[in-house]
Amino acid sequence: MDLDLRKLRYFVAVAEELHFARAAERLHIAQPVLSRQIRSLEHDLGTELFDRDRRGTLLTPAGKQLLEDALPLLASVQALTRRVKTAARDTPELTIGFMPGITLTPATVAFTGRHPGVNVRLLRTSWDDQVEVLRDGRADVSVVRLPVDQEGLEAPPPSTPGRT
């Protein structure tokens, strides 16, 4: 069985909203279409992903597991697409992840001055994904706020304030 990424994106929207109408609005599709796609995904997987009743929509244990696994999978697909498009370009690209409140302008200006042929792209991250963007390939480097799980990453030692 091949897993349809579109259905997976639809599932994530419903799982995050826990409301079919809001998810359909977020996805810019009609709610009956979304419901049919979710039923089709449940059929493909052979299990119900949501408990639906008059009180609302909840994830089943299988739905919780799918959501946990789907988020990094979809991020990896997005990163794969970015890397393939970058490889097809004549201009190399560097994607820098950064946390809000971190100013990258001086470093970006210095880098582009030394490497004018590289297209620099900035990717805003959060506490939850500041390291994941490196692991799944959405960013080539990232400026993070410590502490982070550095397993599998190369990181320079923290700088001492006032020293460069």
Side-chain angles (χ1 to χ4, degrees), residues 96-123:
I96 304 171
F98 72 100
M99 290 282 294
I102 295 175
T103 303
L104 294 180
T105 306
T108 303
V109 168
F111 181 86
T112 56
R114 290 185 182 151
H115 306 280
V118 176
N119 180 33
V120 176
R121 186 174 150 266
L122 301 178
L123 174 66

Side-chain angles (χ1 to χ4, degrees), residues 48-79:
E48 288 189 5
L49 302 170
F50 297 99
D51 282 326
R52 305 162 180 91
D53 63 24
R54 291 180 184 213
R55 290 177 277 140
T57 302
L58 297 173
L59 287 167
T60 64
K64 288 177 184 177
Q65 184 63 57
L66 182 59
L67 180 60
E68 183 180 320
D69 293 339
L71 293 171
L73 175 66
L74 291 172
S76 292
V77 168
Q78 183 181 26

Side-chain angles (χ1 to χ4, degrees), residues 141-154:
V141 296
S142 189
V143 180
V144 300
R145 293 191 189 273
L146 298 176
V148 296
D149 176 10
Q150 294 183 23
E151 184 178 332
L153 302 176
E154 291 182 33

Side-chain angles (χ1 to χ4, degrees), residues 13-71:
V14 176
E16 290 177 344
E17 297 289 339
L18 291 177
H19 194 277
F20 277 79
R22 283 194 304 263
E25 185 177 315
R26 172 175 149 185
L27 294 165
H28 306 289
I29 63 173
Q31 192 263 321
V33 171
L34 178 59
S35 294
R36 279 194 301 276
Q37 292 297 315
I38 295 299
R39 279 194 301 276
S40 175
L41 177 61
E42 289 174 327
H43 179 266
D44 293 346
L45 294 172
T47 188
E48 288 189 5
L49 302 170
F50 297 99
D51 282 326
R52 305 162 180 91
D53 63 24
R54 291 180 184 213
R55 290 177 277 140
T57 302
L58 297 173
L59 287 167
T60 64
K64 288 177 184 177
Q65 184 63 57
L66 182 59
L67 180 60
E68 183 180 320
D69 293 339
L71 293 171

